[in-house]
Amino acid sequence: MAKRVLLALSALLFTTALVSTPVRAEEFVISGNGDGSSNEISTTVTSETTVTQTNDANVSNEVNTSANTGGNEASSNTGGDTDIQTGSIETQTTIDNQLNTSTIDTGCCPQGDLSATIDGNGSDSTNAIDLTLTDQTNISVYQTANVQNTVIGSANTGENKANNNNGNVTIETGNITGGVEINNEANQENIHAAVGGFTDIALLISGNGVDSKNSIGLSLSNETSIEKLSLANILNNIFFDLNTGRNEANGNNGDVTMKTGDIVFGISVHNGPINRGGVDVGCCDPFDPADPPTPTPPPTPPQPGTGGSGSQNGNGSSNGNGNGNGNGNGNGQTLAMATGSILPATGNLALLLLLLANVAMFLFGLYLRLRAGRSPTRLALISRKA
């Protein structure tokens, strides 16, 4: 007789959060404003991502097994031999618990491009761009696992009786093989949080009139906050009674032979991985002052003509404040240069073409302005005033 018990219990709580990082392009421009005008852009752009996960698992497994081929009796026989032979027992109990798996992926850089331009504004104008850009990511993961496993079992091929028999007596009990296996896995996290930023940052002050005042202020802030709590309470109880003996052969006339079976029984309890998590923060560095890009050469200012509005030798300034990596609050470099110069910028071919187009538009506008100073309409108005 063979009896096999197989029990596999699994409780799995799996939570996945995928948050795609939006691709964006921010562009701020002050351009083409008249003499003596005052122009300002002041903006705050905030991007916030919040992910909260809570996993609770309470598991209680109780297993009772019983297998028996023994307990046989052959007694008080008057003739012939007595033979008792019991069968073997195979029993196996397996419990698998997989609890609380959490995966969070907020995406990856890049997020996009940022450009700020002050271009082609009149003399004595005041132009300012003040930008504050904040990316904030908050991730919270709470996981609790309470597991209790109880296995109670018995297997018997013995406890056989052969008493007071006339003749030879033979008792042979079967083998017992099997085991108990318990595997517990609980509270695993895989968190990937991308630090926000911009692929390219381009700041441009160019082609503004004489005595104009121009400034660009930039503050970048990236903040990532990750809080995780993992709690696991695991209790494993195993009770087994295994027997191939306790046989009786008393008061018999003749030879008595007893052979008890073997017991091969293994117990395996594996707890793990428990409370294991991987956290990966950041996948790009949007702006590294240690490796500045090569600045684009400034355009050559055009020569003024008679009747024009002045020469291109005004004063200009550019101020920048920046927060770079992680939670830094430090101020970036302050860059100051004359009107018509270009701040160091990172960019691709599209940004270069945009810069060249801006320069061409400025030169064309200046040409039309100088040409308008010599037009008959302009001369007629001057004569009328005289």
Side-chain angles (χ1 to χ4, degrees):
M1 177 179 181
K3 185 173 183 180
R4 180 179 180 86
V5 178
L6 174 61
L7 179 63
L9 299 178
S10 176
L12 173 63
L13 183 57
F14 180 86
T15 306
T16 302
L18 298 176
V19 181
S20 60
T21 303
V23 178
R24 66 177 188 237
E26 303 289 352
E27 182 178 6
F28 306 91
V29 178
I30 295 179
S31 177
N33 297 288
D35 298 347
S37 61
S38 179
N39 312 288
E40 181 180 0
I41 295 176
S42 180
T43 184
T44 299
V45 178
T46 301
S47 175
E48 183 174 355
T49 301
T50 300
V51 179
T52 302
Q53 291 185 356
T54 301
N55 297 328
D56 288 323
N58 297 292
V59 178
S60 178
N61 300 311
E62 184 172 347
V63 181
N64 291 280
T65 65
S66 178
N68 181 40
T69 62
N72 303 289
E73 184 175 352
S75 301
S76 303
N77 294 297
T78 59
D81 298 333
T82 301
D83 186 6
I84 297 177
Q85 183 174 355
T86 62
S88 298
I89 294 176
E90 295 182 10
T91 179
Q92 178 70 36
T93 302
T94 302
I95 297 176
D96 287 325
N97 296 311
Q98 298 179 1
L99 312 174
N100 297 348
T101 299
S102 178
T103 300
I104 298 175
D105 187 356
T106 62
C108 192
C109 302
Q111 285 190 328
D113 302 333
L114 170 66
S115 65
T117 303
I118 298 177
D119 175 63
N121 299 287
S123 59
D124 294 314
S125 62
T126 300
N127 309 290
I129 298 178
D130 187 11
L131 306 177
T132 300
L133 301 130
T134 301
D135 285 290
Q136 184 173 359
T137 301
N138 302 312
I139 298 175
S140 301
V141 178
Y142 307 103
Q143 299 197 126
T144 302
N146 297 308
V147 180
Q148 179 173 338
N149 301 305
T150 301
V151 180
I152 301 174
S154 64
N156 177 49
T157 61
E159 297 182 353
N160 302 288
K161 296 180 180 180
N163 299 317
N164 304 317
N165 295 294
N166 290 323
N168 298 325
V169 174
T170 301
I171 298 177
E172 182 176 355
T173 62
N175 301 320
I176 297 176
T177 59
V180 175
E181 180 181 359
I182 298 177
N183 300 310
N184 299 305
E185 298 181 11
N187 299 345
Q188 300 185 59
E189 307 99 6
N190 184 12
I191 300 174
H192 171 74
V195 176
F198 293 92
T199 309
D200 296 312
I201 299 177
L203 308 179
L204 173 64
I205 296 177
S206 174
N208 299 288
V210 61
D211 292 328
S212 62
K213 297 179 181 179
N214 311 289
S215 66
I216 296 177
L218 175 62
S219 175
L220 297 176
S221 175
N222 296 318
E223 181 178 349
T224 300
S225 175
I226 297 177
E227 179 182 3
K228 73 183 195 74
L229 174 63
S230 298
L231 178 63
N233 297 307
I234 298 177
L235 177 62
N236 300 303
N237 299 313
I238 300 175
F239 305 96
F240 253 88
D241 181 12
L242 307 174
N243 177 48
T244 61
R246 295 199 292 266
N247 301 290
E248 293 183 9
N250 300 316
N252 297 292
N253 295 322
D255 297 332
V256 175
T257 302
M258 288 189 183
K259 183 178 180 181
T260 58
D262 297 329
I263 297 177
V264 179
F265 198 87
I267 296 178
S268 172
V269 177
H270 182 230
N271 295 318
I274 305 293
N275 296 343
R276 183 180 68 178
V279 178
D280 176 24
V281 178
C283 61
C284 72
D285 187 0
F287 188 71
D288 187 2
D291 187 17
T294 303
T296 305
T300 302
Q303 297 298 324
T306 59
S309 60
S311 60
Q312 294 291 326
N313 57 1
N315 295 321
S317 65
S318 174
N319 302 317
N321 297 319
N323 294 340
N325 304 319
N327 297 326
N329 294 319
N331 293 326
Q333 296 177 339
T334 299
L335 305 175
M337 56 189 64
T339 301
S341 59
I342 301 176
L343 277 69
T346 62
N348 50 26
L349 181 58
L351 288 177
L352 179 59
L353 294 177
L354 178 60
L355 174 62
L356 295 178
N358 286 334
V359 173
M361 291 177 63
F362 166 71
L363 294 177
F364 182 67
L366 183 60
Y367 168 75
L368 292 178
R369 184 173 183 180
L370 295 178
R371 185 176 180 85
R374 302 186 187 92
S375 65
T377 304
R378 177 65 173 173
L379 294 176
L381 291 174
I382 293 175
S383 299
R384 186 174 303 173
K385 288 182 179 180

